[in-house]
Amino acid sequence: MERNRLIRLLVDKVEIRETGIDMELRTNGLTTLIAELAGLACEVTERRTNR
């Protein structure tokens, strides 16, 4: 489920052709993902500090 959410967040469009695959990424999705990961990293750090 999380993998699908990440793919929807990052991939805008995929076209399959005889010569290969064209993929368009969402740059705003990447920004959102980085912000989420940074928040998770802060939570882990805080938990370790509070032990």
Side-chain angles (χ1 to χ4, degrees), residues 9-31:
L9 190 64
L10 296 175
V11 177
D12 186 36
K13 183 168 93 173
V14 176
E15 292 182 4
I16 301 172
R17 303 170 186 244
E18 289 182 18
T19 57
I21 297 174
D22 289 334
M23 188 180 329
E24 292 181 20
L25 299 178
R26 299 174 195 239
T27 55
N28 62 337
L30 188 56
T31 303

Side-chain angles (χ1 to χ4, degrees), residues 25-45:
L25 299 178
R26 299 174 195 239
T27 55
N28 62 337
L30 188 56
T31 303
T32 302
L33 177 60
I34 290 169
E36 284 183 21
L37 292 174
L40 290 174
C42 288
E43 287 179 26
V44 170
T45 301

